[in-house]
Amino acid sequence: RIGQAMFEQFKADALATGQDVSESLQSVLSFFSVTQNVEQLEELNKLAQQLAAFDSTGQGIEGAAFALKEALSGDITSLAERFNMSRSMIRAMGIDELGKTGNVEGFIKAMDELLEKQRMGEEAFEQMMSSPAMQVQKLGNMMRSELAGAGTDALQAILPLVTTLEEGFQEGR
């Protein structure tokens, strides 16, 4: 029951931010070796989602989660290089030391501050997520998620709509 509730919460978080549910869940799972605290898992995944939005390498949430996990072990190389952040600023925020000592709560707070200073904070993330391209991606992820959980009858019921949309795109309407 607890596992199902966690799954549903992480799935809802992914859909709310336009993330691919499967990739987002993989991100959460990657942090299990660091913490089993659900709130911390959510916060770490939120940080990964924010970083993924600014990742120019195209590795998405998987790459962002990897960089965070490395930083949680005290290695800031991936975080600095992938997201073009100053190593000295990362160190000044204590992120490497917080990671090495296992202070997950402190690490999360320091990362929030760092992202704000780097103009990658929550407000910048929300602005990026509200772009038309991201809204289309969000809709696509929601549809994939819902269709994955739908039965055959539900899929048959929406098939005419899908067919109409496909024809419209083909005809340029």
Side-chain angles (χ1 to χ4, degrees):
R1 285 233 182 260
I2 293 172
Q4 181 68 27
M6 286 173 60
F7 169 80
E8 292 300 329
Q9 180 60 49
F10 295 140
K11 176 182 169 185
D13 290 346
L15 292 173
T17 58
Q19 301 293 319
D20 178 275
V21 173
S22 179
E23 290 175 11
S24 187
L25 290 173
Q26 282 299 120
S27 171
V28 170
L29 290 174
S30 74
F31 296 122
F32 262 82
S33 62
V34 177
T35 183
Q36 286 79 47
N37 178 304
V38 176
E39 288 178 20
Q40 289 178 346
L41 289 169
E42 280 185 293
E43 289 297 317
L44 288 169
N45 205 45
K46 185 177 115 188
L47 289 170
Q49 290 169 348
Q50 282 178 245
L51 283 170
F54 297 97
D55 183 5
S56 60
T57 67
Q59 294 181 19
I61 195 167
E62 183 180 344
F66 174 81
L68 281 173
K69 191 130 187 279
E70 291 286 298
L72 279 160
S73 70
D75 181 357
I76 60 170
T77 303
S78 185
L79 189 63
E81 291 177 0
R82 182 171 289 147
F83 301 100
N84 198 29
M85 293 182 186
S86 156
R87 289 174 198 265
S88 59
M89 182 181 282
I90 296 170
R91 286 188 188 105
M93 304 292 298
I95 288 170
D96 53 345
E97 289 302 317
L98 290 163
K100 278 184 207 175
T101 60
N103 183 346
V104 177
E105 195 63 39
F107 178 89
I108 291 168
K109 287 179 182 164
M111 278 301 303
D112 274 335
E113 274 186 58
L114 177 65
L115 291 180
E116 286 298 329
K117 287 184 179 192
Q118 294 287 308
R119 295 186 184 96
M120 292 187 227
E122 199 163 333
E123 186 177 328
F125 175 65
E126 287 177 15
Q127 285 178 347
M128 184 164 298
M129 296 310 293
S130 67
S131 73
M134 293 306 283
Q135 291 298 311
V136 169
Q137 179 180 325
K138 185 176 179 179
L139 177 62
N141 286 333
M142 289 174 123
M143 286 181 63
R144 268 193 300 282
S145 175
E146 292 304 314
L147 290 175
T152 306
D153 291 340
L155 293 175
Q156 288 299 324
I158 66 164
L159 188 58
L161 173 62
V162 173
T163 303
T164 302
L165 285 171
E166 183 180 359
E167 289 170 357
F169 279 118
Q170 288 173 351
E171 295 171 6
R173 294 184 278 134

